[in-house]
Every structure is written in structure tokens, then in C-alpha cells.
Amino acid sequence: MKHVLSLLVENHQGVLSRISGLFSGRGYNLESITAGVTTDPGITRITLVSSGNENVLEQIKKQLNKLIDVIKLIDLTEKPSVHREMALIKVHAAPKQRGEIFQVADVFRTRVMDVGMDSIMLEITGSCEKIDDFITIMQNYGITEIARSGLISMEKTKKIKGGR
Amino acid sequence: MNISGAEMIVESLKKEGVNIIFGYPGGAVIPIFDVLFAEPSIHVVLTRHEQGAVHAADGYARSTGRPGVVLVTSGPGATNTITGLATANFDSVPIVCLTGQVPKGMIGNDAFQEADTVGISRPVTKHNYLVTERKDIGRIMKEAFYLATTGRPGPVLIDFPKDIQIKKIDDKYPEKIQIRGYKPVSKGHSGQIKKAVKILKEAKRPLFYIGGGINIADAAGIFNNILEKTDIPVISSLMGIGAVPSDHPRYLGMLGMHGTFAANMAVSSSDLLFTIGARFDDRATGELKKFAQQAKIVHIDIDPAAIARNVTVDIPIVGDAKTVLEELYPLIKKPAIDSWIKQTVQWKNTHPLSTETEGNLLSPPLIVRKISEVFPDAIIATEVGQNQMWAALFYNFRKPRTLLTSGGLGTMGYGFPAAIGAQAGNRDKKVIDIAGDGSIQMNIQELATAVQEELPVIIAILNNGYLGMVRQWQELFFDRHYSSTCLMRRPSCPRDCNSPGDQCPPYVPDFIKLAKAYDAVGYRVTEEKDIEPVLKEAGKSKTRPVIIDFIVSREANVWPMVPAGAGNDEMMLGEGSLI
């Protein structure tokens, strides 16, 4: 099963390699990893997607928590949270196909970032599944290049009944 | 006051109470050695190889409980420490390893003696640092000692670029420490402790299983109190040896691949394995599917990641072994388990360890027994292989921190430098390295260190002319194909030789001549009657290391043995006997 782990880590050099090294060294799956600084310049948030059975995931969390540079770890898999990914996709588009591609792209709420002689670049944001679906459709036209950001996630605020 | 980075490093060592370090100089650490030159409170042991320095610091740390400190240069100096750091990391030994680095501005340029030391050492240390700002030295030194010695201890490496060692700023050692990502648990969860007490009360065949954590946490005292109070039988992993006196009536010995009959039978029959500071290593458990099948498992460990990794645990307790046991002590009662105790005693009595071995030359187990008789309070270091198992099984360990052995990584060449470190930290004790003739050659260069430091370490070489443990596997499981394990082999030997005898070429090196070359003392023992007198003679040396070359039966095997894939109760007890 896929797990989304959100980590707050020290913003030191080498932190990413500690984490990716842990995954490669112990043979864990690492499907995506993203990192960016938080409002505290000393802290980086890392979102990573991993998969494996329950025991393996338990070990992954324990081993990550053992890293001195990991300040906090939250498993967002079971918690109400927002998961988003972005992708840039360059699609082969002969002039007469463009209209059709724009129509589909519009349904997926993508944005056109660049138009070339025989290709267009689209930006799509959303869940991984949505991006997967869009890629599948665009493959019919021919994808020449693709760049995915990896997942970023955040836990939702708890809603209190009767509160404001 | 303006002080250089090197002065700050040495100041930090003094503030941490360090009075001995093990090292080897080089271009990138000359400023630090220069400060040490004028520092009378810190003794520098110059080893002959950086790996020896780390093992020596490791032996010092394991035997004294204080962190071992290493100082080496950049590039090859740093890369040579990796085996030592990995050894210490696996066995949770507190070490602070200081390495030099090329000046900051040259990092990444493939400078002379440059290596990505933090990158290379990352997987084999508890934590590591590259110091990039002069002002950070004090804080990082303080953190390093704290990390190395608390929680599950381990090696911490700090890489110091040369320019930072030279730069002067107004500086002093910090008083406080704050690492927001590091909060080691000490106290166990009281609800879990209560559950453990309850399950122990209900058990019919309870068994204590102790590991290295008990020795590291200095929990042997409280554990022995619990043992006296409950009278529950106890087995030990290799690393737990020494916590309970080997001749204690409830002690059944080491479990695992070369465990005792009683320990392996008990673990297979127990209905409650009460585990303290052990990590269910594969050499201890044998085939996991067949391990302790009838037992519920309580597991006390300071490292949450060690719990439920290899076996399913019924009651996990994360905490320091000593703290948790102190909390358990008043709650535990003596259970009514007379028939179980009787059964374990019977296993001990019907299948005691035997010093008899295959072959007509000296018996290695007998030699270890004699060492135990002549030096009952020694610190024993071992190399890795048959020598290690014979030492673990046949020396009568009675105190914690008296067995220094590379349990996790299984590092040949560990024992002798570890013995040097232990002797440097325990001048009043007898320190003996029980070695194989293969292993001892992996760090034999440290003989010069021992001679120079006037350390009377005894090296007892169980010389069978083979890499014995691999040869044993080849004999038992590979049709006696002694492939690359004979240390006497010459081109004139038959290609498929597996029948050692008088016709074999002479052994090299001649360990007596070797000892002489280093101005150490050398003896050779070939007769049983000489074992004891020579050991006693060796014990008289006060300032010179002693090599004793025991010529032992070439094909002596370590028994019992649980073959790969078998359960712990499926032991081979001797040649051709499988139960």
C-alpha cells in the first residue's frame, strides 16, 4: 500500500541524501520525494511517497524517526489531508490536432505554457490519479517530454461541529 | 579570547573529560596534532593504521563505558576508518571520530587527499557532520559526544576542513545542548511494563533472553537481582555475555548457531521469551519460521526500530534496559516453575560443552578453558571466526564489559587493536586477545603500537593454519572443498588438498620471529602440559605484549552448530550427528 509521509527536517546540507540513502541502503521503495523550505528558514518540509507492507512501512517510519535531522514525521495516509502534484507535459500536436487537445486539456483544467510549431506544453495540477489519467489520454497524441513534481501533501485542519 | 579551531577542538575534548585518543596524523590535521603536542592532559596513542585506531577506541569504549576518540587525516585516513566505524555502529559503541578535510574552498575539486567523508561514512555512523563555519565547532563537538553516548550509543564523525582548524575567533565551549530531532526515550511505558509483569506471572516456561543492551546500559546489576528473585532460567546472545556469571546455576549459555544445547532447547520450548536489549539477529534465531514457536515475546529495547523487525513481539517496551528493569524489579514475583527449571538443568547436564575436538594436536576449547583458569578476571577480546565462538563458549565470563567482540559486523582484525584500547583504559587488568592465525594477520601491524605503548596484551593465537570457520563450512556443506582457506598452501600442493598433515609446507609467518622483530615476547605451545605454565609466564610481562602461538588441531570444529535454514533445536552436536 502507498503511504504519504510528511517530514519536517533540519535545513542542513546533506539531509536529502541521509533520507534517500536510508531508502536505498535498506531496500525500501521510494516513489517520490519533494523538498522545500518552510516559513522557518531552518526547517525544510519533505513529502515522500513510499510503498510496502505494514511491517516495512512501520520500519521505514522508525528508521526515519531515528535520523537526528528529522524533527517530526507524520503519516498522512490515514489522516484527512490534501495531496497535490504538478506536471509539465509536452504533447505532439500537429496544427489540426490542437483544437482537440485544447478541449481535453480544458476538461482537466490544465494551462497552456508554451505553443510550438508541432507541440504544446501543458501544466496540470491535481491528484496523482488525475495526472495519470491525463497522461494516458495525451499518449494518444504522443508525449515528447514529461516532468512531474512529485506529491506534496498537508493535513487538513480539524473541523469542530458548531464552531465557526 | 581568540582561539583557533584546532584549539577549540582540543578544548572541547578536555571539557568532555577525554584523556586518551587514538589517531594517525596527516596533512589535513597537523594543526590539531600541533595543539595536542603541547597538551599534557591528553595522551595520543599512535596506531599503525587508521582502522586500528578506531578498533582501539572501540575496545577502550566497550571496556570502560567511556566514549572512544579517534583523530585521523582526510582522504585515505578517513576512508580507513570505515570498517572500524561500521563495527562500532553495529554493536552500539560510543565513538567520536574526528577527521581532517581539505580546505573548504577546495572541497569538490578533487584536491589531494580529498574524499567525501560524510558521504562515505553516513550509513556506518549514528550521525555525522561536516563543519562549514568556524563558530560551529564547539556546538558540534558537544552534540557529537551527547549523540555518541546517549540513547542507543554509536559512532559520530566530524569532518573538519583545514582552514577552519586554523581560523581564530573569540570562542568558548557551550554549556547547553539542544537537538530538536533527538529525544531518546529512557523510561518504559508503565502500562506496557504492567502487561509484561502479568504475562510473566502466567507463564509456565519463562526464559530471560539478554543481549548487548544489558551491558551497554550497565543493567547487569539490577538484572542479577531480578534473576535471584525469580529464579527464571536465562540465555544470552553473544553480546549479552558477561552480564550473568557463566557459572550461574540458571544460566544456560549462548543461544544460536553455535549456542549451547541447553540454551537452544530452552528457547525452542519456552512459552515466554522475556527479551532485554537483544535484537534477534539471524545468527541467534536460526530459521525465523522455526524460532521460539511456542513463545510469546516481551521485548525491551532502547531502539524502537530494533523491536518487531525480525520477530513478532507481543509486548514491546521502548526504554533503557536499566531504567525499565529497575521499574520491573519490585513488581515481579518468583513464579512456580520447578519442573521447567528441572528440565533446563537436565539439558545442561546431559549435554555439557565438550573440550574434546577432532585431531591429535591441541584442543582450542581446552586452551580457552586454561586461559579462563589462569586469568579468571581478564578482559577478553576476540577476532572473528572459530576463535570467537570458542572464546564465547569456553571462557568463564563473570562481569559485564569483559568480552570485546565484533558481533554484528563480524570484523576479522578487530580483536587485537580492541585489546590495545582496552589495556590502555584498564592498566590494572589482564587483557587477552583470543585470536585465529588468519584474523590476527589483519591488524598485526598494531604490535608496534602495543610495544611502543608498553601494553602487556597477550595474544593467544589458536593456530590451525586455516581460515577455520569457513573451512568448517566447507567441510560440512561443500564436500571438503578447502577453497582458499589453507594458509600453508604452496604451488606444489595438490590442487584439491583436503588432508592436512606432516607433509604440509611450513606455516608463515613464524609468529615467534615476528614477535622478536617487534621486540615483543613470543612463545610456541604444542603440548598440552605446556599450556598452563606458558600462560602463567606470559602473565608476568608488565610492559611488553606477548604472542603465544598455540599449534592446534587443524580440523577442529566448533560444536554445537545449527546449520543454515535449521531451527535452533536442530543442532549438530559433533561430526555427523544431527538431532
mmCIF file of all heavy atoms in Angstrom, chain B residues 61-65 91-92 94 153 210-221 223-224 236-245 251 276-278 320-322 325 397-405:
data_model
loop_
_atom_site.group_PDB
_atom_site.id
_atom_site.type_symbol
_atom_site.label_atom_id
_atom_site.label_comp_id
_atom_site.label_asym_id
_atom_site.label_seq_id
_atom_site.Cartn_x
_atom_site.Cartn_y
_atom_site.Cartn_z
ATOM 1 N N ALA B 61 36.247 1.978 24.613
ATOM 2 C CA ALA B 61 34.880 2.378 24.964
ATOM 3 C C ALA B 61 34.095 1.208 25.556
ATOM 4 O O ALA B 61 33.420 1.341 26.575
ATOM 5 C CB ALA B 61 34.169 2.927 23.729
ATOM 6 N N ARG B 62 34.168 0.042 24.909
ATOM 7 C CA ARG B 62 33.401 -1.104 25.416
ATOM 8 C C ARG B 62 33.851 -1.513 26.810
ATOM 9 O O ARG B 62 33.033 -1.905 27.642
ATOM 10 C CB ARG B 62 33.575 -2.313 24.493
ATOM 11 C CG ARG B 62 32.919 -2.135 23.143
ATOM 12 C CD ARG B 62 32.861 -3.485 22.419
ATOM 13 N NE ARG B 62 32.891 -3.271 20.977
ATOM 14 C CZ ARG B 62 32.234 -4.018 20.089
ATOM 15 N NH1 ARG B 62 31.501 -5.030 20.507
ATOM 16 N NH2 ARG B 62 32.328 -3.763 18.806
ATOM 17 N N SER B 63 35.180 -1.445 27.049
ATOM 18 C CA SER B 63 35.671 -1.947 28.330
ATOM 19 C C SER B 63 35.512 -0.927 29.447
ATOM 20 O O SER B 63 35.374 -1.316 30.612
ATOM 21 C CB SER B 63 37.144 -2.368 28.206
ATOM 22 O OG SER B 63 37.937 -1.253 27.834
ATOM 23 N N THR B 64 35.531 0.364 29.122
ATOM 24 C CA THR B 64 35.440 1.377 30.184
ATOM 25 C C THR B 64 34.061 2.017 30.291
ATOM 26 O O THR B 64 33.736 2.619 31.309
ATOM 27 C CB THR B 64 36.443 2.539 29.942
ATOM 28 O OG1 THR B 64 36.069 3.208 28.731
ATOM 29 C CG2 THR B 64 37.873 2.038 29.839
ATOM 30 N N GLY B 65 33.277 1.966 29.224
ATOM 31 C CA GLY B 65 31.988 2.653 29.223
ATOM 32 C C GLY B 65 32.093 4.121 28.837
ATOM 33 O O GLY B 65 31.092 4.821 28.763
ATOM 34 N N ASP B 91 27.478 -2.596 16.775
ATOM 35 C CA ASP B 91 27.441 -3.061 18.165
ATOM 36 C C ASP B 91 27.167 -1.931 19.158
ATOM 37 O O ASP B 91 27.356 -2.104 20.358
ATOM 38 C CB ASP B 91 28.765 -3.759 18.516
ATOM 39 C CG ASP B 91 28.919 -5.083 17.766
ATOM 40 O OD1 ASP B 91 27.909 -5.586 17.242
ATOM 41 O OD2 ASP B 91 30.049 -5.610 17.709
ATOM 42 N N SER B 92 26.713 -0.779 18.673
ATOM 43 C CA SER B 92 26.306 0.351 19.525
ATOM 44 C C SER B 92 27.411 0.798 20.480
ATOM 45 O O SER B 92 27.235 0.827 21.697
ATOM 46 C CB SER B 92 25.053 -0.011 20.336
ATOM 47 O OG SER B 92 24.090 -0.626 19.542
ATOM 48 N N PRO B 94 30.003 3.834 21.662
ATOM 49 C CA PRO B 94 30.171 5.284 21.554
ATOM 50 C C PRO B 94 31.580 5.673 21.106
ATOM 51 O O PRO B 94 32.551 5.399 21.800
ATOM 52 C CB PRO B 94 29.900 5.777 22.983
ATOM 53 C CG PRO B 94 30.247 4.615 23.858
ATOM 54 C CD PRO B 94 29.934 3.378 23.064
ATOM 55 N N PRO B 153 23.807 3.996 21.862
ATOM 56 C CA PRO B 153 25.071 4.667 21.543
ATOM 57 C C PRO B 153 25.573 4.283 20.151
ATOM 58 O O PRO B 153 25.115 3.307 19.568
ATOM 59 C CB PRO B 153 26.027 4.150 22.624
ATOM 60 C CG PRO B 153 25.176 3.542 23.670
ATOM 61 C CD PRO B 153 23.940 3.058 22.983
ATOM 62 N N ILE B 210 18.908 -12.273 27.194
ATOM 63 C CA ILE B 210 19.595 -10.991 27.368
ATOM 64 C C ILE B 210 20.571 -10.737 26.223
ATOM 65 O O ILE B 210 21.156 -11.664 25.664
ATOM 66 C CB ILE B 210 20.340 -10.921 28.717
ATOM 67 C CG1 ILE B 210 21.363 -12.045 28.837
ATOM 68 C CG2 ILE B 210 19.357 -10.944 29.867
ATOM 69 C CD1 ILE B 210 22.272 -11.916 30.031
ATOM 70 N N GLY B 211 20.736 -9.463 25.880
ATOM 71 C CA GLY B 211 21.644 -9.088 24.798
ATOM 72 C C GLY B 211 22.572 -7.966 25.213
ATOM 73 O O GLY B 211 22.624 -7.572 26.379
ATOM 74 N N GLY B 212 23.276 -7.428 24.233
ATOM 75 C CA GLY B 212 24.287 -6.406 24.494
ATOM 76 C C GLY B 212 23.746 -5.179 25.211
ATOM 77 O O GLY B 212 24.482 -4.503 25.932
ATOM 78 N N GLY B 213 22.456 -4.905 25.027
ATOM 79 C CA GLY B 213 21.855 -3.732 25.659
ATOM 80 C C GLY B 213 22.009 -3.733 27.170
ATOM 81 O O GLY B 213 22.132 -2.674 27.788
ATOM 82 N N ILE B 214 22.030 -4.930 27.751
ATOM 83 C CA ILE B 214 22.171 -5.022 29.209
ATOM 84 C C ILE B 214 23.553 -4.554 29.649
ATOM 85 O O ILE B 214 23.711 -3.851 30.645
ATOM 86 C CB ILE B 214 21.874 -6.472 29.666
ATOM 87 C CG1 ILE B 214 20.422 -6.553 30.116
ATOM 88 C CG2 ILE B 214 22.820 -6.922 30.747
ATOM 89 C CD1 ILE B 214 20.066 -7.731 30.938
ATOM 90 N N ASN B 215 24.571 -4.927 28.863
ATOM 91 C CA ASN B 215 25.928 -4.487 29.199
ATOM 92 C C ASN B 215 26.107 -2.995 28.941
ATOM 93 O O ASN B 215 26.706 -2.275 29.745
ATOM 94 C CB ASN B 215 26.952 -5.286 28.389
ATOM 95 C CG ASN B 215 27.061 -6.729 28.874
ATOM 96 O OD1 ASN B 215 26.946 -6.992 30.070
ATOM 97 N ND2 ASN B 215 27.249 -7.653 27.957
ATOM 98 N N ILE B 216 25.563 -2.534 27.815
ATOM 99 C CA ILE B 216 25.721 -1.125 27.449
ATOM 100 C C ILE B 216 25.038 -0.212 28.471
ATOM 101 O O ILE B 216 25.556 0.836 28.827
ATOM 102 C CB ILE B 216 25.138 -0.876 26.039
ATOM 103 C CG1 ILE B 216 25.986 -1.607 24.999
ATOM 104 C CG2 ILE B 216 25.077 0.612 25.719
ATOM 105 C CD1 ILE B 216 25.337 -1.690 23.630
ATOM 106 N N ALA B 217 23.845 -0.632 28.934
ATOM 107 C CA ALA B 217 23.078 0.197 29.867
ATOM 108 C C ALA B 217 23.546 0.042 31.313
ATOM 109 O O ALA B 217 22.941 0.611 32.223
ATOM 110 C CB ALA B 217 21.601 -0.149 29.749
ATOM 111 N N ASP B 218 24.602 -0.743 31.521
ATOM 112 C CA ASP B 218 25.066 -1.045 32.885
ATOM 113 C C ASP B 218 23.912 -1.578 33.734
ATOM 114 O O ASP B 218 23.716 -1.184 34.889
ATOM 115 C CB ASP B 218 25.688 0.197 33.542
ATOM 116 C CG ASP B 218 27.000 0.580 32.868
ATOM 117 O OD1 ASP B 218 27.760 -0.343 32.493
ATOM 118 O OD2 ASP B 218 27.254 1.782 32.688
ATOM 119 N N ALA B 219 23.135 -2.490 33.132
ATOM 120 C CA ALA B 219 21.949 -3.028 33.796
ATOM 121 C C ALA B 219 22.191 -4.421 34.372
ATOM 122 O O ALA B 219 21.263 -5.059 34.859
ATOM 123 C CB ALA B 219 20.788 -3.073 32.810
ATOM 124 N N ALA B 220 23.438 -4.894 34.327
ATOM 125 C CA ALA B 220 23.712 -6.258 34.791
ATOM 126 C C ALA B 220 23.382 -6.408 36.274
ATOM 127 O O ALA B 220 22.853 -7.436 36.702
ATOM 128 C CB ALA B 220 25.168 -6.622 34.519
ATOM 129 N N GLY B 221 23.678 -5.372 37.049
ATOM 130 C CA GLY B 221 23.431 -5.448 38.497
ATOM 131 C C GLY B 221 21.966 -5.679 38.803
ATOM 132 O O GLY B 221 21.608 -6.645 39.500
ATOM 133 N N PHE B 223 19.700 -6.668 36.782
ATOM 134 C CA PHE B 223 19.211 -7.911 36.185
ATOM 135 C C PHE B 223 19.534 -9.103 37.071
ATOM 136 O O PHE B 223 18.707 -10.005 37.248
ATOM 137 C CB PHE B 223 19.785 -8.126 34.780
ATOM 138 C CG PHE B 223 19.310 -9.426 34.184
ATOM 139 C CD1 PHE B 223 17.986 -9.567 33.771
ATOM 140 C CD2 PHE B 223 20.142 -10.535 34.115
ATOM 141 C CE1 PHE B 223 17.517 -10.776 33.274
ATOM 142 C CE2 PHE B 223 19.681 -11.743 33.621
ATOM 143 C CZ PHE B 223 18.367 -11.864 33.200
ATOM 144 N N ASN B 224 20.737 -9.100 37.636
ATOM 145 C CA ASN B 224 21.093 -10.223 38.524
ATOM 146 C C ASN B 224 20.204 -10.252 39.761
ATOM 147 O O ASN B 224 19.891 -11.329 40.276
ATOM 148 C CB ASN B 224 22.578 -10.177 38.878
ATOM 149 C CG ASN B 224 23.435 -10.775 37.776
ATOM 150 O OD1 ASN B 224 23.514 -11.983 37.624
ATOM 151 N ND2 ASN B 224 24.037 -9.923 36.954
ATOM 152 N N SER B 236 21.682 -16.071 26.676
ATOM 153 C CA SER B 236 22.303 -14.808 26.270
ATOM 154 C C SER B 236 22.659 -14.838 24.791
ATOM 155 O O SER B 236 22.957 -15.898 24.241
ATOM 156 C CB SER B 236 23.573 -14.594 27.099
ATOM 157 O OG SER B 236 24.263 -13.462 26.643
ATOM 158 N N SER B 237 22.623 -13.662 24.173
ATOM 159 C CA SER B 237 23.214 -13.541 22.840
ATOM 160 C C SER B 237 24.715 -13.383 23.034
ATOM 161 O O SER B 237 25.197 -13.237 24.159
ATOM 162 C CB SER B 237 22.650 -12.322 22.114
ATOM 163 O OG SER B 237 23.198 -11.138 22.654
ATOM 164 N N LEU B 238 25.465 -13.400 21.937
ATOM 165 C CA LEU B 238 26.923 -13.208 22.023
ATOM 166 C C LEU B 238 27.248 -11.913 22.764
ATOM 167 O O LEU B 238 28.135 -11.856 23.602
ATOM 168 C CB LEU B 238 27.520 -13.186 20.610
ATOM 169 C CG LEU B 238 29.015 -12.900 20.493
ATOM 170 C CD1 LEU B 238 29.826 -14.027 21.122
ATOM 171 C CD2 LEU B 238 29.424 -12.716 19.034
ATOM 172 N N MET B 239 26.485 -10.851 22.455
ATOM 173 C CA MET B 239 26.784 -9.547 23.028
ATOM 174 C C MET B 239 26.330 -9.415 24.483
ATOM 175 O O MET B 239 26.740 -8.500 25.184
ATOM 176 C CB MET B 239 26.139 -8.436 22.195
ATOM 177 C CG MET B 239 26.490 -8.461 20.723
ATOM 178 S SD MET B 239 28.249 -8.587 20.414
ATOM 179 C CE MET B 239 28.770 -6.959 20.922
ATOM 180 N N GLY B 240 25.461 -10.306 24.927
ATOM 181 C CA GLY B 240 24.982 -10.241 26.309
ATOM 182 C C GLY B 240 25.894 -10.964 27.284
ATOM 183 O O GLY B 240 25.714 -10.868 28.510
ATOM 184 N N ILE B 241 26.879 -11.677 26.752
ATOM 185 C CA ILE B 241 27.764 -12.469 27.603
ATOM 186 C C ILE B 241 28.489 -11.569 28.604
ATOM 187 O O ILE B 241 28.917 -10.472 28.251
ATOM 188 C CB ILE B 241 28.767 -13.270 26.730
ATOM 189 C CG1 ILE B 241 28.026 -14.431 26.066
ATOM 190 C CG2 ILE B 241 29.951 -13.763 27.547
ATOM 191 C CD1 ILE B 241 28.883 -15.241 25.115
ATOM 192 N N GLY B 242 28.608 -12.047 29.825
ATOM 193 C CA GLY B 242 29.261 -11.283 30.887
ATOM 194 C C GLY B 242 28.285 -10.653 31.851
ATOM 195 O O GLY B 242 28.612 -10.405 33.005
ATOM 196 N N ALA B 243 27.054 -10.418 31.382
ATOM 197 C CA ALA B 243 26.064 -9.785 32.262
ATOM 198 C C ALA B 243 25.689 -10.716 33.405
ATOM 199 O O ALA B 243 25.439 -10.277 34.528
ATOM 200 C CB ALA B 243 24.829 -9.385 31.461
ATOM 201 N N VAL B 244 25.643 -12.018 33.110
ATOM 202 C CA VAL B 244 25.371 -13.023 34.143
ATOM 203 C C VAL B 244 26.607 -13.919 34.219
ATOM 204 O O VAL B 244 27.151 -14.299 33.182
ATOM 205 C CB VAL B 244 24.145 -13.885 33.750
ATOM 206 C CG1 VAL B 244 23.937 -15.015 34.745
ATOM 207 C CG2 VAL B 244 22.907 -13.014 33.654
ATOM 208 N N PRO B 245 27.074 -14.250 35.435
ATOM 209 C CA PRO B 245 28.242 -15.130 35.524
ATOM 210 C C PRO B 245 27.975 -16.452 34.776
ATOM 211 O O PRO B 245 26.909 -17.040 34.919
ATOM 212 C CB PRO B 245 28.396 -15.382 37.027
ATOM 213 C CG PRO B 245 27.671 -14.245 37.680
ATOM 214 C CD PRO B 245 26.582 -13.840 36.750
ATOM 215 N N TYR B 251 21.967 -19.977 34.437
ATOM 216 C CA TYR B 251 22.482 -19.539 33.135
ATOM 217 C C TYR B 251 22.670 -20.742 32.218
ATOM 218 O O TYR B 251 23.381 -21.685 32.560
ATOM 219 C CB TYR B 251 23.808 -18.793 33.312
ATOM 220 C CG TYR B 251 24.387 -18.235 32.028
ATOM 221 C CD1 TYR B 251 23.734 -17.227 31.335
ATOM 222 C CD2 TYR B 251 25.590 -18.720 31.515
ATOM 223 C CE1 TYR B 251 24.257 -16.715 30.155
ATOM 224 C CE2 TYR B 251 26.124 -18.208 30.338
ATOM 225 C CZ TYR B 251 25.453 -17.205 29.665
ATOM 226 O OH TYR B 251 25.974 -16.699 28.491
ATOM 227 N N ILE B 276 15.670 -8.740 26.758
ATOM 228 C CA ILE B 276 16.164 -7.439 27.220
ATOM 229 C C ILE B 276 17.410 -7.064 26.422
ATOM 230 O O ILE B 276 18.454 -7.698 26.532
ATOM 231 C CB ILE B 276 16.512 -7.476 28.722
ATOM 232 C CG1 ILE B 276 15.316 -7.987 29.525
ATOM 233 C CG2 ILE B 276 16.945 -6.094 29.210
ATOM 234 C CD1 ILE B 276 15.706 -8.847 30.688
ATOM 235 N N GLY B 277 17.285 -6.037 25.580
ATOM 236 C CA GLY B 277 18.454 -5.493 24.880
ATOM 237 C C GLY B 277 19.103 -6.433 23.890
ATOM 238 O O GLY B 277 20.306 -6.373 23.687
ATOM 239 N N ALA B 278 18.309 -7.297 23.278
ATOM 240 C CA ALA B 278 18.825 -8.147 22.195
ATOM 241 C C ALA B 278 18.025 -7.798 20.950
ATOM 242 O O ALA B 278 16.936 -7.266 21.044
ATOM 243 C CB ALA B 278 18.671 -9.620 22.541
ATOM 244 N N ASP B 320 15.354 2.369 28.287
ATOM 245 C CA ASP B 320 16.689 1.990 28.716
ATOM 246 C C ASP B 320 16.586 0.729 29.593
ATOM 247 O O ASP B 320 15.745 0.666 30.493
ATOM 248 C CB ASP B 320 17.282 3.153 29.514
ATOM 249 C CG ASP B 320 18.587 2.799 30.165
ATOM 250 O OD1 ASP B 320 19.585 2.701 29.440
ATOM 251 O OD2 ASP B 320 18.610 2.598 31.404
ATOM 252 N N ALA B 321 17.433 -0.258 29.306
ATOM 253 C CA ALA B 321 17.327 -1.549 29.996
ATOM 254 C C ALA B 321 17.383 -1.381 31.516
ATOM 255 O O ALA B 321 16.588 -1.987 32.249
ATOM 256 C CB ALA B 321 18.437 -2.489 29.525
ATOM 257 N N LYS B 322 18.296 -0.546 31.985
ATOM 258 C CA LYS B 322 18.457 -0.392 33.431
ATOM 259 C C LYS B 322 17.214 0.255 34.051
ATOM 260 O O LYS B 322 16.672 -0.230 35.048
ATOM 261 C CB LYS B 322 19.696 0.458 33.718
ATOM 262 C CG LYS B 322 20.086 0.478 35.179
ATOM 263 C CD LYS B 322 21.365 1.278 35.357
ATOM 264 C CE LYS B 322 21.727 1.392 36.830
ATOM 265 N NZ LYS B 322 22.842 2.319 36.990
ATOM 266 N N LEU B 325 14.249 -2.202 33.960
ATOM 267 C CA LEU B 325 14.406 -3.321 34.898
ATOM 268 C C LEU B 325 14.236 -2.850 36.345
ATOM 269 O O LEU B 325 13.673 -3.569 37.178
ATOM 270 C CB LEU B 325 15.770 -4.001 34.720
ATOM 271 C CG LEU B 325 15.949 -4.783 33.411
ATOM 272 C CD1 LEU B 325 17.334 -5.414 33.347
ATOM 273 C CD2 LEU B 325 14.887 -5.865 33.245
ATOM 274 N N PHE B 397 33.075 -16.152 31.633
ATOM 275 C CA PHE B 397 32.886 -14.716 31.840
ATOM 276 C C PHE B 397 32.059 -14.487 33.100
ATOM 277 O O PHE B 397 31.086 -15.187 33.355
ATOM 278 C CB PHE B 397 32.183 -14.087 30.626
ATOM 279 C CG PHE B 397 33.057 -14.047 29.414
ATOM 280 C CD1 PHE B 397 33.005 -15.078 28.483
ATOM 281 C CD2 PHE B 397 33.951 -13.014 29.218
ATOM 282 C CE1 PHE B 397 33.830 -15.059 27.363
ATOM 283 C CE2 PHE B 397 34.779 -12.991 28.100
ATOM 284 C CZ PHE B 397 34.714 -14.025 27.176
ATOM 285 N N ARG B 398 32.457 -13.480 33.856
ATOM 286 C CA ARG B 398 31.764 -13.238 35.120
ATOM 287 C C ARG B 398 31.322 -11.804 35.316
ATOM 288 O O ARG B 398 30.579 -11.504 36.233
ATOM 289 C CB ARG B 398 32.670 -13.665 36.293
ATOM 290 C CG ARG B 398 33.028 -15.151 36.210
ATOM 291 C CD ARG B 398 33.686 -15.635 37.436
ATOM 292 N NE ARG B 398 34.911 -14.884 37.699
ATOM 293 C CZ ARG B 398 35.662 -15.095 38.758
ATOM 294 N NH1 ARG B 398 35.313 -15.987 39.656
ATOM 295 N NH2 ARG B 398 36.758 -14.398 38.931
ATOM 296 N N LYS B 399 31.808 -10.915 34.443
ATOM 297 C CA LYS B 399 31.467 -9.496 34.620
ATOM 298 C C LYS B 399 31.135 -8.865 33.286
ATOM 299 O O LYS B 399 31.672 -9.265 32.251
ATOM 300 C CB LYS B 399 32.652 -8.756 35.237
ATOM 301 C CG LYS B 399 32.813 -9.039 36.710
ATOM 302 C CD LYS B 399 33.914 -8.210 37.308
ATOM 303 C CE LYS B 399 34.167 -8.619 38.742
ATOM 304 N NZ LYS B 399 35.585 -8.573 39.092
ATOM 305 N N PRO B 400 30.264 -7.823 33.324
ATOM 306 C CA PRO B 400 29.976 -7.094 32.086
ATOM 307 C C PRO B 400 31.231 -6.396 31.566
ATOM 308 O O PRO B 400 32.168 -6.153 32.334
ATOM 309 C CB PRO B 400 28.943 -6.044 32.507
ATOM 310 C CG PRO B 400 28.581 -6.325 33.907
ATOM 311 C CD PRO B 400 29.560 -7.282 34.483
ATOM 312 N N ARG B 401 31.217 -6.078 30.298
ATOM 313 C CA ARG B 401 32.302 -5.342 29.635
ATOM 314 C C ARG B 401 33.629 -6.086 29.676
ATOM 315 O O ARG B 401 34.695 -5.481 29.671
ATOM 316 C CB ARG B 401 32.477 -3.949 30.256
ATOM 317 C CG ARG B 401 31.216 -3.082 30.173
ATOM 318 C CD ARG B 401 31.493 -1.638 30.561
ATOM 319 N NE ARG B 401 30.281 -0.827 30.469
ATOM 320 C CZ ARG B 401 29.820 -0.311 29.332
ATOM 321 N NH1 ARG B 401 30.478 -0.517 28.210
ATOM 322 N NH2 ARG B 401 28.717 0.406 29.319
ATOM 323 N N THR B 402 33.573 -7.426 29.769
ATOM 324 C CA THR B 402 34.820 -8.190 29.737
ATOM 325 C C THR B 402 34.970 -8.993 28.456
ATOM 326 O O THR B 402 36.001 -9.603 28.231
ATOM 327 C CB THR B 402 34.929 -9.149 30.938
ATOM 328 O OG1 THR B 402 33.758 -9.970 30.979
ATOM 329 C CG2 THR B 402 35.058 -8.393 32.247
ATOM 330 N N LEU B 403 33.934 -8.998 27.599
ATOM 331 C CA LEU B 403 34.076 -9.652 26.291
ATOM 332 C C LEU B 403 33.963 -8.585 25.213
ATOM 333 O O LEU B 403 32.931 -7.926 25.075
ATOM 334 C CB LEU B 403 32.988 -10.717 26.081
ATOM 335 C CG LEU B 403 32.923 -11.305 24.660
ATOM 336 C CD1 LEU B 403 34.233 -11.986 24.272
ATOM 337 C CD2 LEU B 403 31.764 -12.284 24.521
ATOM 338 N N LEU B 404 35.044 -8.398 24.481
ATOM 339 C CA LEU B 404 35.056 -7.416 23.397
ATOM 340 C C LEU B 404 35.091 -8.190 22.087
ATOM 341 O O LEU B 404 36.084 -8.837 21.770
ATOM 342 C CB LEU B 404 36.289 -6.513 23.498
ATOM 343 C CG LEU B 404 36.638 -5.994 24.901
ATOM 344 C CD1 LEU B 404 37.941 -5.191 24.850
ATOM 345 C CD2 LEU B 404 35.519 -5.143 25.470
ATOM 346 N N THR B 405 34.000 -8.144 21.358
ATOM 347 C CA THR B 405 33.944 -8.950 20.153
ATOM 348 C C THR B 405 33.056 -8.262 19.127
ATOM 349 O O THR B 405 32.089 -7.581 19.492
ATOM 350 C CB THR B 405 33.439 -10.373 20.490
ATOM 351 O OG1 THR B 405 33.661 -11.229 19.375
ATOM 352 C CG2 THR B 405 31.964 -10.402 20.875
#
